[in-house]
Amino acid sequence: MASNSKESAREDLRTDFVTLTNDILSRQQRSKEATGDLTILLSAISSACKWISNVVRKAELMKVIGVTGGTNVQNENVQKLDILSNEIMCNLLRDSGKTAILVSEEDDEAIFVEDSKRGHYCVCFDPLDGSSNIDCGVSIGTIFGIYRVKSEGAKPSIADVLRPGTEMVAAGYCMYGSSTVLVLTFQGSNEVNGYTLDPSIGEFVLTHRNMKLGPKKIYSINEGNAHTFDAAIKGYIDSVKFPPAGHTGKFTPYTARYVGSMVADVHRTILYGGVFLYPGAKLRILYECFPMALIVEAAGGKASTGRKRMLDVVPEKLHARSGIVLGTSAEVEAIEARYKELDAKK
Ligand code: FBP
């Protein structure tokens, strides 16, 4: 075989890829305190995401599209896929033997893992985020945040999860879009890595090392809710869409993008840049706002309620909600400045 065809064949046959498993294992080996428990837990989460990815892609064929006819604690119509992905997550997390408490968007109460399978970690998760997009095949995802129990000897309690986001040890999401991408960060690492699932080998392969927010001017908000926007949000949205009064010369408005799945809108915001806003208190703090805030901060951005750092919030109940703005630091700071101005007028 001629040398350049050998080269191109060699290129196609990449042999130097890093898998998620290897990456978290080498991270474990680099840390003296590591027991391997978090590695096993993350491996269970990645298996659950592979399984959910498979079900999502076959949903139409397996006739698991559509609603169950029931509603969840959020009073939302529950999709069949919501139930399926929730069961997959709960079973794999419980069977990992590394979890003490599970908090799921689909379960009213926290799940306390039985003694025989109990470990030291608490996982808060949205098994399938972006429910409104499930039936039309638009990108959806799984979001998760991980805490370590406050004290290993003590009986796990709700206090082990009703904590500020700054106490999470790791967070991530898995997006089921044109490809399946799992994005992960560890508290204090200032590093976000993305792994793309290669279904032919069933492995998540490192494709996005050390993701940092992109430079683009994009704003992402459901403007259908504009009648509910307060003066700070209204003022900011107007400032990125229209030239300021008396402006002469060229004005370049920001681009608007909104998928309606937080995972997809945040993933794009990280890769391209800009800001994602959901000002109304719809999104849940423990398994939507906190994980995304930890990831965006580690990618060099900011996440805020508009008035305070999202990760400093202390949720009062499992399914507590909050407004959120996250993305490029300058955009989030501009919105926070408008809230300061608004509150100063009160
Ligand atoms: P769930 O689908 O998990 O309930 O998540 C809420 C969500 O779908 C987010 O993914 C998304 O950002 C937001 O709600 C969309 O809300 P809206 O349809 O009001 O724009």
Side-chain angles (χ1 to χ4, degrees), residues 39-316:
T39 302
I40 292 169
L41 175 58
L42 289 168
S43 162
I45 291 175
S46 76
S47 302
C49 291
K50 288 176 192 173
W51 197 347
I52 296 170
S53 173
N54 188 36
V55 172
V56 163
R57 295 191 188 294
K58 291 191 188 149
E60 198 69 65
L61 304 168
M62 295 159 65
K63 295 273 165 276
V64 284
I65 284 287
V67 292
T68 61
T71 56
N72 62 17
V73 63
Q74 338 273 345
N75 207 16
E76 292 163 337
N77 293 327
V78 177
Q79 308 272 336
K80 291 176 189 160
L81 274 176
D82 281 328
I83 300 297
L84 214 53
S85 37
N86 190 44
E87 280 172 22
I88 293 170
M89 282 291 277
C90 289
N91 294 341
L92 270 77
L93 290 174
R94 183 188 270 115
D95 294 345
S96 73
K98 302 304 173 191
T99 57
I101 304 176
L102 306 179
V103 174
S104 166
E105 181 195 39
E106 296 307 327
D107 294 300
D108 307 9
E109 306 303 325
I111 299 165
F112 289 88
V113 176
E114 59 272 32
D115 295 2
S116 59
K117 293 185 176 177
R118 184 176 302 152
H120 303 311
Y121 289 100
C122 308
V123 185
C124 306
F125 59 95
D126 181 350
L128 209 52
D129 170 69
S131 309
S132 60
N133 281 324
I134 290 178
D135 289 2
C136 60
V138 167
S139 302
I140 51 182
T142 298
I143 310 174
F144 58 92
I146 303 173
Y147 291 94
R148 193 171 174 84
V149 289
K150 287 185 170 182
S151 73
E152 285 176 12
K155 190 170 177 313
S157 77
I158 219 65
D160 286 309
V161 288
L162 296 184
R163 303 155 72 175
T166 47
E167 295 179 13
M168 283 188 293
V169 294
Y173 61 79
C174 189
M175 183 180 73
Y176 313 113
S178 52
S179 60
T180 293
V181 182
L182 192 148
V183 170
L184 183 63
T185 192
F186 294 89
Q187 182 70 253
S189 70
N190 280 332
E191 188 174 311
V192 178
N193 295 316
Y195 308 83
T196 301
L197 179 62
D198 180 338
S200 63
I201 58 172
E203 282 282 3
F204 280 107
V205 175
L206 179 64
T207 47
H208 303 74
R209 173 66 89 189
N210 202 9
M211 298 161 75
K212 294 299 175 194
L213 266 109
K216 291 199 175 145
K217 302 277 186 201
I218 297 172
Y219 74 99
S220 182
I221 188 170
N222 181 346
E223 292 200 66
N225 298 333
H227 64 289
T228 67
F229 294 169
D230 58 30
I233 298 295
K234 247 204 203 74
Y236 174 77
I237 298 296
D238 286 351
S239 74
V240 298
K241 289 171 71 171
F242 309 108
H247 177 87
T248 54
K250 187 168 169 19
F251 170 76
T252 312
Y254 286 26
T255 299
R257 289 284 182 274
Y258 190 72
V259 176
S261 296
M262 188 186 196
V263 168
D265 283 314
V266 172
H267 190 64
R268 183 204 56 250
T269 300
I270 295 172
L271 290 180
Y272 291 177
V275 63
F276 167 79
L277 311 91
Y278 206 103
K282 172 178 181 175
L283 300 177
R284 283 50 58 119
I285 296 172
L286 274 177
Y287 43 81
E288 288 172 323
C289 301
F290 277 173
M292 294 307 197
L294 192 73
I295 293 163
V296 165
E297 285 199 4
K302 276 193 168 182
S304 169
T305 63
R307 291 185 168 88
K308 70 184 285 186
R309 182 187 179 205
M310 175 53 67
L311 291 174
D312 292 339
V313 169
V314 181
E316 281 150 18

